[in-house]
Amino acid sequence: MPILEIVAAAADEAEAAADWYEHEQPGLGRQFRESLNAGLELLEDGLVSGSPMPGHLGRKGVRRLVLRRFPYDIVFLGSSRRIIVLAFAHHARRPGYWRSRMKR
């Protein structure tokens, strides 16, 4: 099983999104967190591999797992040993805003 690492900025944006959903409708923030956790478990257990990001980012090995209920992707770099979550990216947000996180 690979080691799962979540970049601090990605963890912060997930928390901010969950807080926003909770403010909009009580209980929805919890459901958002559950959706993220379910996606992370699928990645960690090797049950899904995500799909390559379009363009040059995909060629660099960046992949995404699209959440079903919420308009978010889990953006990550992965191997059999390690999965690094770069972003929990909203579909309407500026594409690739998280690229600088790849240089850590």
Side-chain angles (χ1 to χ4, degrees):
M1 185 177 305
I3 295 170
L4 180 68
E5 178 184 337
I6 300 173
V7 173
D12 291 346
E13 68 196 4
E15 269 309 302
D19 290 347
W20 183 86
Y21 278 118
E22 191 63 31
H23 180 267
E24 291 299 303
Q25 179 180 332
L28 197 56
R30 178 186 49 77
Q31 292 172 28
F32 177 73
R33 285 183 184 95
E34 289 171 355
S35 181
L36 290 181
N37 288 333
L40 293 171
E41 285 180 22
L42 290 172
L43 290 172
E44 197 171 25
D45 292 344
L47 299 176
V48 296
S49 60
S51 57
M53 290 296 286
H56 75 282
L57 291 171
R59 290 189 295 277
K60 289 184 175 189
V62 180
R63 303 181 73 76
R64 66 180 170 182
L65 177 64
V66 179
L67 299 182
R68 289 184 184 192
R69 181 170 178 202
F70 295 93
Y72 277 82
D73 293 339
I74 299 174
V75 179
F76 64 97
L77 283 165
S79 69
S80 60
R81 297 161 136 199
R82 192 166 150 195
I83 296 171
I84 302 170
V85 176
L86 301 170
F88 296 101
H90 191 283
H91 294 170
R93 220 173 179 182
R94 189 182 70 225
Y97 70 90
W98 44 264
R99 282 183 221 161
S100 64
R101 299 176 190 175
M102 293 174 59
K103 298 174 180 156
R104 352 178 1 234

